[in-house]
Amino acid sequence: MSIARNDASAEDAARYSAPALEKGLDILEHLSSTRAALNLGELADALGRTRSEIFRMVAVLEARGYLDREGTDRFVVADKLFRLGLNRPLHRSLTEAALPVMRDFAETSGYSCHLAVPSGTQMVVIARVESVSHIGFSVRIGYRQPLVRTGSGHCLLAFMSERRRERTLQAIAAEDPDFDFVALGARLEAFREAGRVVRASGITEGVTDVSLPIFDPDDTGAVAALTCPHLRILSDPVEPETLGHEVAKAADRITAALAAPVAAPFEDAVAVGSGTNKGDRI
């Protein structure tokens, strides 16, 4: 039976193949996997194709805004795919709910903060608010790192649903079979017991990641992590644990905003037209 299904899958793949689309996806995937800008010859060699095979595809991808040109003949992936990803309903609702709260946090605490979501075995920042003080540390939107290297990543792994965590750990194991999952499991359990992540940054010395989970009512685990990079400023010292209480309040506010019902436009119109106060509706 399995052989028959595999044969059928192979037949379907052959029947519905789209060589031009696959060529374009190959270009995007390869350029997104390297930090270097590549010219046509280097890109063709990497993909096992000729320059003439990819010339028109690269030209179209550049014209549509999926590739940027560096210098006269080198190409990198633009951020258009990332911006399209942010248009997903979940990411839109997350950023809409989070940004007002994040601004309040930055103004009252004097610290920057950012919102990260899981993307395969990595975390990616989808929103940030800068510190209002003269000294601070922040990361850019679109910033990516492996989940296991960052406070945001540990927070996401610790508080995501068990099913999603198992899938993610399997993917991490496929990328790095020698990774110490026993130690990681102990860390994640400790973070779950604490209800938050407070750990030295795995990327930058002198920075402590303070990270709290964001929960969505339609999910069984965390869908995002609100993280504040802590720097101990001598003129106004604040300890990471103290800052963690403020991050927790902000995370709770974002979670509550995601759970709050949103009135449909029709309901709003009826309420206004009938002179009924929204607060009086049951």
Side-chain angles (χ1 to χ4, degrees), residues 137 149 199-209 229-232:
F137 181 92
R149 292 192 63 191
R199 69 186 291 271
S201 170
I203 305 297
T204 306
E205 287 189 9
V207 174
T208 299
D209 293 329
H230 173 270
L231 291 170
R232 195 169 190 274

Side-chain angles (χ1 to χ4, degrees), residues 31 36-40 42-43 58 62 67-76:
L31 284 176
L38 302 181
N39 60 33
L40 281 176
E42 293 166 338
L43 185 56
V58 168
E62 182 187 14
L67 297 182
D68 282 337
R69 187 185 293 260
E70 289 194 354
T72 58
D73 64 346
R74 292 185 174 274
F75 299 91
V76 295

Side-chain angles (χ1 to χ4, degrees), residues 138-222:
S138 65
V139 297
R140 62 178 174 79
I141 293 176
Y143 176 74
R144 285 178 173 269
Q145 283 291 341
L147 288 166
V148 295
R149 292 192 63 191
T150 66
S152 296
H154 278 76
C155 186
L156 292 167
L157 283 171
F159 295 98
M160 66 175 50
S161 67
E162 289 187 16
R163 179 177 297 181
R164 185 169 192 176
R165 181 165 52 250
E166 182 62 28
R167 290 199 309 265
T168 303
L169 292 177
Q170 289 175 359
I172 294 172
E175 293 177 356
D176 184 4
D178 297 326
F179 186 80
D180 189 348
F181 289 97
V182 175
L184 175 64
R187 291 198 300 271
L188 297 183
E189 181 60 32
F191 293 143
R192 281 191 290 272
E193 290 180 3
R196 67 189 61 175
V197 172
V198 180
R199 69 186 291 271
S201 170
I203 305 297
T204 306
E205 287 189 9
V207 174
T208 299
D209 293 329
V210 181
S211 188
L212 273 292
I214 306 296
F215 297 96
D216 186 273
D218 296 326
D219 200 289
T220 58

Side-chain angles (χ1 to χ4, degrees), residues 71-147:
T72 58
D73 64 346
R74 292 185 174 274
F75 299 91
V76 295
V77 174
D79 66 352
K80 184 171 183 177
L81 284 174
F82 177 72
R83 288 186 280 110
L84 289 175
L86 289 181
N87 285 332
R88 288 179 55 199
L90 173 60
H91 289 167
R92 280 206 312 273
S93 61
L94 265 174
T95 55
E96 289 166 359
L99 280 173
V101 178
M102 293 168 68
R103 294 189 187 103
D104 286 347
F105 171 84
E107 290 176 3
T108 57
S109 71
Y111 280 85
S112 66
C113 59
H114 56 268
L115 191 70
V117 296
S119 176
T121 61
Q122 297 186 325
M123 53 120 280
V124 58
V125 173
I126 64 170
R128 72 165 183 180
V129 173
E130 297 279 1
S131 165
V132 296
S133 67
H134 294 295
I135 301 174
F137 181 92
S138 65
V139 297
R140 62 178 174 79
I141 293 176
Y143 176 74
R144 285 178 173 269
Q145 283 291 341
L147 288 166

Side-chain angles (χ1 to χ4, degrees), residues 13-14 16-29 47 49 57:
Y16 299 115
S17 65
L21 176 60
E22 291 175 356
K23 191 188 306 179
L25 293 174
D26 286 343
I27 292 169
L28 291 173
E29 289 175 358
L47 298 177
R49 297 179 181 275
M57 187 62 64

